[in-house]
Structure formats: C-alpha cells, structure tokens
Amino acid sequence: MNGRWTYMLMALALSALPAGCSPDGKPQASSPPPPPLRPPTPHAHLKEVKGDVKLKRASGDEWLAAREGLPLFENDKVSTAGGASAHIVFVHGGSVNLAEDALIGIAETRPRPGQGRADVTVLKGKVDATLEAPATQTLSVSTPSATIQAGREIVFQ
C-alpha cells in the first residue's frame, strides 16, 4: 500500500511541473522549430488559353478549369478538349503549344548551372515546342515510348 501512495504522489508532483522543466525543476532546452517549408517554384505558366482547357494539380485529384497566368508545377497535368488550345511558357525559357485533344505533364526538371531547361511529357495529342535561346536552353519532350531533347534549333513534326 505504501508503494502505491508514493507512486501516486510522484505522478502528481511531475504533472505539477511547469512545461519545459525537468523533474529537478530546471528549464529544459527546447529543440529549435523546423525550418519553414519553401513554397514550390513554378516550372511554367499558362498563356493563351482557348476553349475547354483543364488543369490537374499533382497534389489534387480534381480537374480544374485552366485560365491564363496560372503557374504550373512539377507533375501538374494540362488537358485540352476538342477545339481547345493552350500555350505554356517555361520559366527557364522555351514554350509549348498544345493542340486540341492533348494531355501533357510538367516533368521534373534538373537544370545545369547556367543552362535553362524545360521538361514536358506528352501523354496524348500534338505539341509544338520552341526554344527562345537554343544556345543556353534545353527542352526535353517525352512520350510513353520516346524522349527527344533539343539544345539547339530543331523542328519536330
């Protein structure tokens, strides 16, 4: 019986300590807060959205109506319906025009220092890709069966 009372008194004494104090009453050093998460940086922006164009964020399950100026992030998808089109401008240079009935994904991009790079995956339909400064930019266009990378002026058809 005596051991049980000692245990209960000890539990009451510990619960009465101020937060952040050790059992001897001395303040404990708290761990520093985690660094704030950096917001993701956009890889591209939607421009010249015409007709029924949809956007699916990598972090979501819903297809949203796309509008001009929206940022595009890694693994976002853009879809154009019949008669629709969109122009995508990459932050590191280059652009892609989506024709009707197309579906593309903004791929993970790992640019080299001093080299602008844009990566896109074409899942369906046709795209027209352009580099503004081929000497300092790279554009990679992947499909389910092939990858094409341009670092100079090349026309894909």
Side-chain angles (χ1 to χ4, degrees):
M1 192 78 153
N2 192 14
R4 189 182 313 174
W5 285 107
T6 304
Y7 175 76
M8 289 176 68
L9 288 174
M10 179 80 153
L12 286 172
L14 287 175
S15 66
L17 286 173
C21 289
S22 63
D24 62 0
K26 295 180 181 173
Q28 290 180 326
S30 61
S31 60
L37 292 176
R38 244 181 11 172
T41 55
H43 288 289
H45 288 86
L46 276 170
K47 304 286 183 187
E48 300 174 28
V49 174
K50 296 176 184 167
D52 186 13
V53 179
K54 302 284 187 193
L55 167 66
K56 183 177 182 259
R57 296 286 184 199
S59 59
D61 293 328
E62 296 179 34
W63 285 93
L64 311 167
R67 65 181 191 278
E68 193 166 320
L70 281 178
L72 298 174
F73 302 95
E74 182 179 312
N75 296 320
D76 284 352
K77 291 184 174 48
V78 179
S79 172
T80 55
S85 64
H87 184 73
I88 296 173
V89 178
F90 290 90
V91 296
H92 294 294
S95 63
V96 173
N97 287 313
L98 273 69
E100 66 178 335
D101 294 320
L103 172 61
I104 62 117
I106 305 300
E108 179 179 347
T109 301
R110 298 194 189 278
R112 294 183 189 134
Q115 181 82 17
R117 181 175 171 142
D119 295 324
V120 65
T121 301
V122 180
L123 301 166
K124 174 185 165 189
K126 295 180 183 180
V127 299
D128 180 18
T130 306
L131 289 174
E132 295 170 3
T136 59
Q137 297 171 335
T138 301
L139 175 66
S140 174
V141 178
S142 299
T143 69
S145 58
T147 298
I148 301 166
Q149 185 172 354
R152 60 189 192 284
E153 191 169 355
I154 297 176
V155 177
F156 300 105
Q157 293 185 344

